[in-house]
C-alpha cells in the first residue's frame, strides 16, 4: 500500500506496524546515503534532530575533496577549469534548490547564511515610507530573527518598540491561528510595510498558512516574506505559486548540507526582474558576463534574477556538500518525501498518544496539513530527567527548557522503528 493511501485511523502504535511500514517504504534505501552516528553499544542512534543539524550525506565528502583536489591541481584556473567550475558554482544548485522550495530557477540563490540573508532581503522588502513602517513578526520567534528585525529597523532610522509588531497565540494556547494573523494584518493596514514570519515554527512545529497570510498582506499593500529554516526540505513549498515576495532558509537543518552551510534565498520573479529595487550590491550580483572585468566596470548591472542579491564570491568548500544533499532530494522527490513524512510523523504521534496518555501533551497541530515532520511534546514531571533518559538509550532528541522535547523524524533517513523506539523509551524513562 503506498504511503499516500494510509489514513490517520490506519496507524497502529505497535512494533509490528513499524516493521510492516519499514518493509513497504520505497524510500528506505536513502538511509544508506547518510552517515548515522552510533550509540555506545555500536547501534545506530535514532536521530530526531535533523531539524537542528541534518545528517551527513555520504556523497558530500567526495564533492568536498573534489574542490580540494581542483584547488591543488589548478589553483586560480579552478574558477573555469575545475570539474565543477567555481565561477558559476552557485548555478549548479539553482535548479535543485528551486525544485525543493517550489520556485523558478531565476527566483532562488544559494548564498551567505540565513540571518545575513534576512537583512539583505529586508533591505529590499521593508521600505518604510510615511505611516507605512511596521513589520509584523511572531512573538517568541527564533532569537536571531528577532535580533535581525529589531536591529534592522533601528539601523534604518525606525523605532523597534513601535515599528516591530509581534503576534502571539491566544492566552492559554500554543499555536497561532490563521484568522488571528489575517485579522492583525488587516488591523495594521496602511501602517504595515512587511510581514516576516517563520513558515514552520521552530518551537512548536506549526506550519503556517503561507498562501492565506501572503494574500492578506498583499491586500493591505505590504510585502510578505517567510523564514523557512524549518520548512525547506521538510514540506513541499510553492513559493512562486503562492506569490510570496521573499524568503530565506538555512541549509544545515533539513537540507543536510553541514554545519554553517550556505543558506538560500527566494525572491519572486516579479521583484527579481525589477532592476530598480533598492538593494545592497557586490560584484557577484553583477551580470556574470562583465563580472570579471574589474576596474573596467564601475557601474553595477544586476543579474535579472535572485542572484543579483549575491555580494561576494561564494565559499566553494562549504557549498560543496549542498550539491550532494540536494541531489538526494531531487532523487527522492519532495512529494514522495512528504507522503512518507505524513505517515511517519503520524505514527510517532499515535505512539506518543498511546504510550504517554497522561503525562505528555503534543503541542504541534494534530492535523498533518498544519505541520511538517516535527512533533513538540510537553512533558509533565521532571522533563529534563526524562529527556536525558532518551539520550542514554540512543534516542537523540532536543530539549527546550522548561518542559518541551522536540522530535523530528526525517523521511530521508528515519525509520518507523526509530519512532517506536523513541516513544517507548520516553514511556519507560
Ligand atoms: C536555525 C534558525 C536560524 C539560524 O540562523 P543562522 O543565521 O543560520 O545562524 C535563524 N532563524 C530560524 C527561524 C532558525 O530556525
Amino acid at each position: 500500500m503506498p504511503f499516500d493511501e494510509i489514513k490517520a485511523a490506519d496507524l497502529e502504535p505497535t512494533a509490528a506496524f513499524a516493521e510492516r511500514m519499514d518493509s513497504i517504504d520505497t524510500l528506505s534505501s536513502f538511509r544508506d546515503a547518510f552517515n548515522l552516528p552510533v550509540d555506545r553499544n555500536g547501534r545506530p542512534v535514532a536521530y530526531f534532530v535533523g531539524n537542528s543539524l541534518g545528517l551527513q550525506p555520504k556523497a558530500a565528502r567526495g564533492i568536498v575533496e573534489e574542490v580540494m583536489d581542483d584547488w591543488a591541481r589548478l589553483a586560480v584556473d579552478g574558477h573555469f577549469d575545475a570539474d565543477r567550475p567555481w565561477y558559476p558554482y552557485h548555478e549548479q544548485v539553482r535548479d535543485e534548490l528551486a525544485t525543493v522550495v517550489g520556485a523558478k530557477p531565476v527566483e532562488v540563490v544559494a548564498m551567505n547564511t540565513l540571518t545575513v540573508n534576512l537583512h539583505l532581503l529586508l533591505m529590499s522588502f521593508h521600505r518604510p515610507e510615511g505611516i507605512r513602517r511596521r513589520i509584523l513578526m511572531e512573538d517568541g520567534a527564533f532569537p536571531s530573527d528577532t535580533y535581525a528585525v529589531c536591529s534592522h529597523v533601528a539601523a534604518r532610522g525606525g523605532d523597534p518598540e513601535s515599528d516591530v509588531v509581534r503576534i502571539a497565540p491566544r492566552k492559554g494556547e500554543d499555536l497561532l491561528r490563521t484568522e488571528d494573523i489575517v485579522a492583525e494584518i488587516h488591523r495594521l493596514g496602511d501602517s504595515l510595510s512587511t510581514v516576516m514570519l517563520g513558515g514552520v515554527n521552530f518551537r512548536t512545529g506549526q506550519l503556517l498558512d503561507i498562501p492565506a497570510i501572503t494574500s492578506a498582506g498583499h491586500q493591505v499593500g505590504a510585502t510578505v516574506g517567510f523564514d523557512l529554516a524549518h520548512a525547506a526540505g521538510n514540506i513541499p513549498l510553492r513559493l512562486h505559486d503562492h506569490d510570496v515576495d521573499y524568503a530565506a532558509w538555512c541549509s544545515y537543518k533539513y537540507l543536510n548540507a553541514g554545519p554553517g552551510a550556505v543558506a538560500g534565498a527566494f525572491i519572486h520573479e516579479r521583484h527579481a526582474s525589477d532592476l530598480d529595487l533598492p538593494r545592497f550590491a557586490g560584484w557577484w550580483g553583477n551580470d556574470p558576463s562583465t563580472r570579471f572585468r574589474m576596474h573596467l566596470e564601475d557601474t553595477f548591472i544586476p543579474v535579472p534574477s535572485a542572484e543579483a542579491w549575491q555580494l561576494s564570491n561564494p565559499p566553494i568548500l562549504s557549498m560543496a556538500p549542498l550539491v550532494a544533499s540536494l541531489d538526494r532530494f531531487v532523487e527522492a522527490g519532495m512529494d514522495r518525501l512528504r507522503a512518507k513524512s505524513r505517515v511517519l510523523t503520524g505514527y510517532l504521534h499515535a505512539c506518543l498518544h498511546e504510550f504517554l496518555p497522561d503525562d505528555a501533551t503534543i503541542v504541534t497541530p494534530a492535523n498533518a496539513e498544519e505541520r511538517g515532520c516535527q512533533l513538540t511534546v510537553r512533558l509533565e514531571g521532571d522533563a529534563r530527567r526524562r529527556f536525558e533518559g532518551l539520550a542514554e538509550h540512543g534516542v537523540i532528541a532536543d530539549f527546550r527548557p522548561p518542559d518541551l522535547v522536540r522530535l523530528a523524524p526525517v523521511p530521508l533517513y528515519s525509520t518507523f522503528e526509530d519512532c517506536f523506539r523513541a516513544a517507548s523509551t520516553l514511556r519507560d524513562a
Side-chain angles (χ1 to χ4, degrees):
M1 185 195 296
F3 283 140
D4 49 15
E5 287 173 17
I6 298 175
K7 306 272 174 299
D10 302 329
L11 303 167
E12 297 161 24
T14 62
F17 185 81
E19 203 176 313
R20 196 154 79 240
M21 290 297 108
D22 284 329
S23 73
I24 64 165
D25 176 9
T26 57
L27 294 171
S28 61
S29 61
F30 280 90
R31 183 174 167 92
D32 280 338
F34 292 87
N35 284 310
L36 204 62
V38 292
D39 66 15
R40 41 171 195 241
N41 303 316
R43 177 181 179 199
V45 298
Y47 195 75
F48 286 98
V49 289
N51 55 353
S52 192
L53 186 80
L55 291 179
Q56 182 185 90
K58 287 181 181 164
R61 184 181 299 272
I63 298 184
V64 172
E65 279 173 0
E66 176 190 291
V67 177
M68 293 300 284
D69 290 345
D70 286 336
W71 176 22
R73 195 166 54 89
L74 300 166
V76 73
D77 289 336
H79 280 299
F80 296 102
D81 298 343
D83 287 342
R84 274 176 249 263
W86 307 330
Y87 190 72
Y89 207 87
H90 57 279
E91 296 173 13
Q92 303 181 31
V93 292
R94 187 168 54 196
D95 291 1
E96 291 77 4
L97 213 47
T99 305
V100 168
V101 299
K104 295 188 176 183
V106 296
E107 296 175 319
V108 294
V109 58
M111 62 177 187
N112 311 310
T113 43
L114 168 56
T115 310
V116 173
N117 288 344
L118 290 179
H119 278 296
L120 294 178
L121 293 170
L122 286 173
M123 195 59 220
S124 300
F125 294 99
H126 170 52
R127 313 259 288 280
E129 222 184 292
I131 65 155
R132 196 181 284 286
R133 45 194 323 107
R134 287 176 156 156
I135 300 185
L136 177 65
M137 67 182 304
E138 71 271 43
D139 198 39
F142 195 91
S144 201
D145 296 40
T146 309
Y147 305 153
V149 169
C150 292
S151 66
H152 191 93
V153 163
R156 304 265 306 271
D159 175 4
E161 283 291 321
S162 53
D163 293 351
V164 180
V165 178
R166 303 188 208 190
I167 184 161
R170 294 184 189 183
K171 219 172 161 37
E173 297 187 3
D174 286 302
L175 305 171
L176 285 166
R177 298 191 190 201
T178 307
E179 69 210 79
D180 290 355
I181 301 174
V182 169
E184 184 65 2
I185 288 171
H186 284 289
R187 187 186 73 79
L188 292 167
D190 286 349
S191 75
L192 188 61
S193 159
T194 193
V195 177
M196 214 292 287
L197 293 165
V200 171
N201 185 275
F202 77 101
R203 218 169 58 89
T204 64
Q206 179 184 18
L207 165 63
L208 295 183
D209 188 335
I210 292 175
I213 294 167
T214 304
S215 137
H218 289 170
Q219 276 169 32
V220 303
T223 56
V224 181
F226 290 91
D227 181 326
L228 300 175
H230 283 260
N234 178 13
I235 48 158
L237 292 157
R238 290 171 55 202
L239 298 181
H240 176 84
D241 291 347
H242 290 158
D243 212 24
V244 170
D245 294 289
Y246 64 101
W249 57 91
C250 53
S251 307
Y252 48 82
K253 292 173 180 164
Y254 294 108
L255 291 181
N256 312 313
V262 176
F266 164 88
I267 293 124
H268 197 280
E269 188 176 37
R270 79 191 121 84
H271 303 301
S273 61
D274 175 0
L275 304 186
D276 296 327
L277 216 58
R279 79 185 104 215
F280 285 149
W283 71 326
W284 235 253
N286 198 75
D287 179 348
S289 62
T290 56
R291 185 187 288 148
F292 262 15
R293 283 166 54 83
M294 312 279 183
H295 64 284
L296 303 175
E297 295 294 333
D298 58 8
T299 316
F300 177 68
I301 306 166
V303 202
S305 78
E307 289 171 12
W309 273 261
Q310 295 175 110
L311 300 180
S312 300
N313 77 102
I316 305 299
L317 280 167
S318 53
M319 205 180 281
L322 186 59
V323 175
S325 166
L326 290 174
D327 284 349
R328 303 290 84 74
F329 280 92
V330 171
E331 278 166 32
M334 282 310 295
D335 289 337
R336 269 169 86 208
L337 286 168
R338 177 63 168 165
K340 174 176 172 185
S341 182
R342 276 205 184 92
V343 182
L344 190 65
T345 295
Y347 171 73
L348 177 62
H349 196 283
C351 288
L352 291 167
H353 193 69
E354 175 78 11
F355 298 166
L356 303 158
D358 299 323
D359 51 6
T361 318
I362 299 170
V363 170
T364 310
N367 176 0
E369 301 311 311
E370 295 169 34
R371 67 181 186 217
C373 70
Q374 173 185 325
L375 292 181
T376 302
V377 186
R378 177 170 288 126
L379 293 177
E380 302 296 329
D382 189 349
R384 183 179 286 278
R385 182 66 213 105
R386 299 182 69 189
F387 167 72
E388 285 163 1
L390 282 178
E392 283 159 20
H393 290 86
V395 177
I396 313 301
D398 150 297
F399 188 60
R400 297 279 129 179
D403 56 2
L404 297 180
V405 171
R406 300 186 305 167
L407 294 159
V410 170
L412 267 177
Y413 49 71
S414 298
T415 61
F416 288 81
E417 193 209 335
D418 287 340
C419 294
F420 185 81
R421 185 171 164 193
S424 52
T425 308
L426 208 50
R427 172 192 56 199
D428 302 339

